Coordinates of all heavy atoms in Angstrom, one line a residue:
M3 N 0.8 -1.2 0.0 CA 0.0 0.0 0.0 C 0.9 1.3 0.0 O 0.6 2.2 -0.7 CB -0.9 0.0 1.3 CG -1.9 1.1 1.3 SD -3.1 1.0 -0.1 CE -4.1 2.4 0.3
G26 N 7.5 27.6 -17.8 CA 8.7 28.4 -17.8 C 9.2 28.6 -19.3 O 9.6 29.7 -19.7
I40 N -3.2 45.0 -38.3 CA -4.7 45.0 -38.5 C -5.0 45.2 -40.0 O -4.4 46.1 -40.6 CB -5.3 46.2 -37.7 CG1 -4.7 46.2 -36.2 CG2 -6.8 46.1 -37.7 CD1 -5.1 44.9 -35.5
F75 N -1.4 31.4 -27.9 CA -2.2 32.6 -27.6 C -3.7 32.3 -27.8 O -4.1 31.4 -28.5 CB -1.7 33.7 -28.6 CG -2.1 33.6 -30.0 CD1 -3.3 34.2 -30.5 CD2 -1.3 32.9 -30.9 CE1 -3.6 34.1 -31.8 CE2 -1.7 32.7 -32.2 CZ -2.8 33.3 -32.7
P76 N -4.5 33.2 -27.2 CA -6.0 32.9 -27.2 C -6.7 33.3 -28.5 O -7.5 34.3 -28.5 CB -6.5 33.6 -26.0 CG -5.5 34.8 -25.9 CD -4.2 34.2 -26.3
G79 N -10.6 33.4 -28.4 CA -11.1 34.5 -27.5 C -11.0 35.8 -28.1 O -11.8 36.7 -27.9
T109 N -13.8 42.0 -40.7 CA -14.9 42.4 -41.7 C -15.9 43.2 -41.0 O -16.5 42.8 -40.0 CB -15.5 41.1 -42.3 OG1 -14.6 40.3 -42.9 CG2 -16.6 41.5 -43.3
I116 N -31.1 52.9 -42.1 CA -31.0 53.5 -40.7 C -32.3 53.2 -40.0 O -33.4 53.5 -40.6 CB -30.6 55.0 -40.6 CG1 -31.5 55.8 -41.5 CG2 -29.1 55.1 -41.0 CD1 -31.2 57.3 -41.4
E125 N -40.7 60.5 -32.9 CA -40.0 61.6 -33.1 C -38.5 61.4 -32.8 O -37.7 62.3 -32.6 CB -40.4 62.8 -32.2 CG -41.9 63.2 -32.5 CD -42.3 64.3 -31.6 OE1 -41.6 64.8 -30.7 OE2 -43.5 64.9 -31.8
W133 N -30.1 54.9 -36.1 CA -29.0 53.9 -35.9 C -28.8 53.1 -37.2 O -29.8 52.8 -37.9 CB -29.4 52.9 -34.8 CG -29.5 53.6 -33.4 CD1 -30.6 54.3 -33.0 CD2 -28.6 53.5 -32.3 NE1 -30.3 54.7 -31.7 CE2 -29.1 54.3 -31.3 CE3 -27.4 52.8 -32.2 CZ2 -28.5 54.4 -30.1 CZ3 -26.7 53.0 -30.9 CH2 -27.3 53.7 -29.9
S149 N -28.7 64.3 -44.3 CA -29.8 64.8 -45.1 C -30.7 63.7 -45.6 O -30.3 62.6 -45.8 CB -29.2 65.5 -46.4 OG -28.3 66.5 -46.0
I167 N -32.5 49.7 -25.4 CA -31.2 50.2 -26.0 C -31.1 49.7 -27.4 O -31.0 48.4 -27.6 CB -29.9 49.9 -25.2 CG1 -30.0 50.4 -23.8 CG2 -28.7 50.4 -25.9 CD1 -28.9 50.0 -22.8
G201 N -44.8 46.9 -39.7 CA -45.9 47.1 -38.7 C -45.9 45.9 -37.7 O -45.4 44.8 -38.0
S212 N -39.2 59.0 -55.1 CA -39.3 59.6 -56.4 C -39.3 58.5 -57.5 O -38.7 57.4 -57.2 CB -38.2 60.6 -56.7 OG -37.0 60.0 -56.7
E223 N -47.3 55.1 -51.0 CA -47.0 54.1 -50.1 C -47.4 52.7 -50.7 O -48.6 52.6 -51.2 CB -47.8 54.3 -48.8 CG -47.7 53.2 -47.7 CD -48.6 53.4 -46.6 OE1 -49.4 54.4 -46.6 OE2 -48.6 52.6 -45.6
F226 N -48.0 45.8 -48.3 CA -48.1 44.3 -48.5 C -48.1 43.7 -47.1 O -48.0 44.4 -46.0 CB -46.9 43.8 -49.4 CG -45.6 44.3 -48.9 CD1 -44.7 43.4 -48.2 CD2 -45.1 45.5 -49.2 CE1 -43.4 43.8 -47.8 CE2 -43.8 45.9 -48.8 CZ -43.0 45.1 -48.1
R227 N -48.1 42.3 -47.0 CA -48.2 41.6 -45.7 C -47.3 40.4 -45.6 O -46.7 40.0 -46.6 CB -49.7 41.1 -45.6 CG -50.7 42.2 -45.4 CD -52.0 41.8 -44.9 NE -51.9 41.2 -43.5 CZ -51.8 42.0 -42.5 NH1 -51.9 43.3 -42.6 NH2 -51.7 41.5 -41.3
D233 N -40.6 38.7 -55.3 CA -40.8 38.7 -56.7 C -42.1 38.7 -57.2 O -42.4 39.4 -58.2 CB -40.1 37.4 -57.2 CG -38.6 37.4 -57.1 OD1 -38.0 38.5 -56.9 OD2 -37.9 36.3 -57.1
E256 N -53.9 63.0 -56.4 CA -52.6 62.5 -55.8 C -52.8 61.0 -55.4 O -53.8 60.6 -54.8 CB -52.2 63.3 -54.6 CG -50.9 62.8 -53.9 CD -50.6 63.5 -52.7 OE1 -51.4 64.4 -52.3 OE2 -49.6 63.2 -52.0
F269 N -54.8 47.3 -55.5 CA -55.7 48.4 -55.2 C -54.9 49.7 -55.2 O -53.9 49.8 -54.5 CB -56.5 48.2 -54.0 CG -57.4 46.9 -54.0 CD1 -57.0 45.8 -53.5 CD2 -58.7 47.1 -54.5 CE1 -57.7 44.6 -53.6 CE2 -59.5 46.0 -54.6 CZ -59.1 44.7 -54.1
F270 N -55.5 50.8 -55.8 CA -54.9 52.0 -55.9 C -55.8 53.0 -55.0 O -57.0 53.0 -55.2 CB -54.7 52.6 -57.3 CG -53.8 51.8 -58.1 CD1 -54.1 50.7 -58.8 CD2 -52.4 52.3 -58.3 CE1 -53.2 50.0 -59.5 CE2 -51.5 51.6 -59.0 CZ -51.9 50.5 -59.7

Side-chain angles (χ1 to χ4, degrees):
M3 186 67 179
I40 312 297
F75 72 94
T109 301
I116 54 175
E125 297 181 354
W133 297 76
S149 300
I167 302 174
S212 62
E223 176 186 2
F226 53 100
R227 296 194 63 78
D233 288 344
E256 180 184 358
F269 296 93
F270 293 85

